[in-house]
Amino acid sequence: MLKVHDIMKNYENKQVLKGVSFHLKKGESFGLLGPNGAGKSTLIGIMTGLIRATSGTVTIGGLDLTKETKQAQQLIGIVPQEIALYLDLTAKENLMFWGKMYGLKGKELKNRVQETLELIGLDNRSNDKVNVFSGGMKRRVNIGCAILHRPKLLIMDEPTVGIDPQSRNHILETVKTLNSEGMTIIYISHYMEEVEYLCQRVAIMDQGSFIAIGNQKELSELVGKKREMIFTIKCEQGQNDIDRMCQYIHQYDPLKDIVVQENQIKLFDEHPQQLLSDLIQGMTELNVQMMSAEIVEPNLENIFLYLTSKKLRD
Ligand code: ADP
């Protein structure tokens, strides 16, 4: 369905994409994760023909995006981060407008609009103006606009940011349905649990490159025997307790990577049980009060942390 080959993008002398390659089969659901500035939006811009790559090729459904741009773009639906709707028009009128833009007309247009309203769960609100809708409902209309022409590949850029749980669940279920009907999905999100739920394969992107790609089992193997340990500290003396605890850990292993997030210390170790008892002893010696200690099996959130040592939800 999609072949992205060795895409590079430079802005002046800054290399924003450093040779990104991947293939998607028809019907795959693919998650794209990366901290801010990793190059995700630039890659999407290039895959949709809105940004020109410095080098490399994109083929969609066998069509070369630079040579057969219009035909290739017909195969894509994009749900952008920003809501792109006419607020003074009703949900139905917005969909009719986009349907006409895609070249639909007559009965086919009416049917598609009705089907789409049902799919996004807004058929009972179809004649309400979009400006009275909640953020989540507006996003659902946005998704409707992107799928009216039945694209083969749907690219969704953080479709659930800042919306109510009900709309969020509705969006996730809509994506599942579309995917089960054969639509190929690229899903970009900071919410790991959504990507875990929806995506068969995931790429982790950092500083313009894919640093890992695979299904969740393959990504788990990158962590090997190491397990994430999370210590939550009761910071009686502010940051001081955290600093003293980090120093204590570094006495054991000066090179240990430690990630501090608010009152939590996170680290990876091959022998977590042993380290856990050593560190509990250390906390007693230092008179640092611990609220909890956990050993966490690999999941997308800690695999990402392990690979990038960055907090994704920054
Ligand atoms: P992400 O979507 O992962 O947050 P972006 O693709 O938006 O990342 O940005 C990747 C890098 O490219 C950032 O360092 C950003 O500042 C830079 N960048 C993006 N667009 C431009 C542009 N038009 N001109 C110069 N630099 C840009």
Side-chain angles (χ1 to χ4, degrees), residues 11 14 16-17 34-43 81 205:
Y11 282 116
K14 187 170 171 193
V16 171
L17 293 177
N36 291 337
K40 302 179 297 294
S41 303
T42 308
L43 182 60
Q81 268 182 39
M205 194 173 186

Side-chain angles (χ1 to χ4, degrees), residues 1-2 26 47-48 58-65 68-78 102 146-147 149-155 182-185:
M1 182 69 237
L2 174 73
K26 184 179 177 303
M47 288 190 307
T48 50
V58 176
T59 314
I60 302 167
L63 301 167
D64 182 326
L65 184 62
E68 296 149 292
T69 310
K70 278 258 143 40
Q71 296 96 309
Q73 281 175 331
Q74 282 285 331
L75 301 178
I76 315 173
I78 172 131
Y102 293 130
I147 58 174
H149 63 304
R150 296 192 183 145
K152 302 268 187 277
L153 170 66
L154 181 65
I155 303 175
M183 197 179 281
T184 310
I185 309 282

Side-chain angles (χ1 to χ4, degrees), residues 33-36 40 158 188-193 312-314:
L33 300 174
N36 291 337
K40 302 179 297 294
E158 305 218 30
I188 296 151
S189 178
H190 279 197
Y191 300 120
M192 301 283 182
E193 60 284 5
L312 190 59
R313 289 175 216 229
D314 55 355

Side-chain angles (χ1 to χ4, degrees), residues 191-314:
Y191 300 120
M192 301 283 182
E193 60 284 5
E194 292 183 4
V195 175
E196 255 167 3
Y197 177 65
L198 292 174
C199 302
Q200 294 150 347
R201 275 202 308 152
V202 176
I204 297 178
M205 194 173 186
D206 199 13
Q207 297 179 11
S209 303
F210 279 6
I211 56 169
I213 182 167
N215 62 32
Q216 293 182 30
K217 186 168 172 286
E218 288 161 341
L219 293 179
S220 299
E221 283 161 7
L222 298 174
V223 181
K225 288 187 181 149
K226 292 187 176 169
R227 289 294 170 269
E228 184 189 29
M229 304 173 69
I230 304 177
F231 296 92
T232 307
I233 310 283
K234 191 170 180 186
C235 290
E236 299 271 275
Q237 303 173 52
Q239 199 60 25
N240 198 11
D241 281 347
I242 295 266
D243 293 343
R244 288 192 305 139
M245 211 43 227
C246 292
Q247 277 167 17
Y248 187 88
I249 297 167
H250 277 147
Q251 278 172 15
Y252 270 83
D253 182 352
L255 297 177
K256 192 86 176 160
D257 277 333
I258 305 174
V259 177
V260 175
Q261 290 178 344
E262 292 166 12
N263 63 336
Q264 289 192 322
I265 294 175
K266 298 184 176 181
L267 47 98
F268 290 82
D269 198 83
E270 280 201 10
H271 306 287
Q273 296 289 355
Q274 180 60 47
L275 189 60
L276 183 68
S277 62
D278 291 347
L279 293 186
I280 289 174
Q281 194 187 330
M283 287 187 189
T284 316
E285 282 170 27
L286 296 172
N287 198 25
V288 169
Q289 285 192 46
M290 183 172 60
M291 286 160 71
S292 67
E294 286 176 79
I295 298 172
V296 189
E297 286 300 305
N299 57 37
L300 267 188
E301 186 114 31
N302 61 28
I303 294 167
F304 181 87
L305 193 70
Y306 179 72
L307 293 174
T308 66
S309 288
K310 274 188 194 135
K311 190 176 156 205
L312 190 59
R313 289 175 216 229
D314 55 355

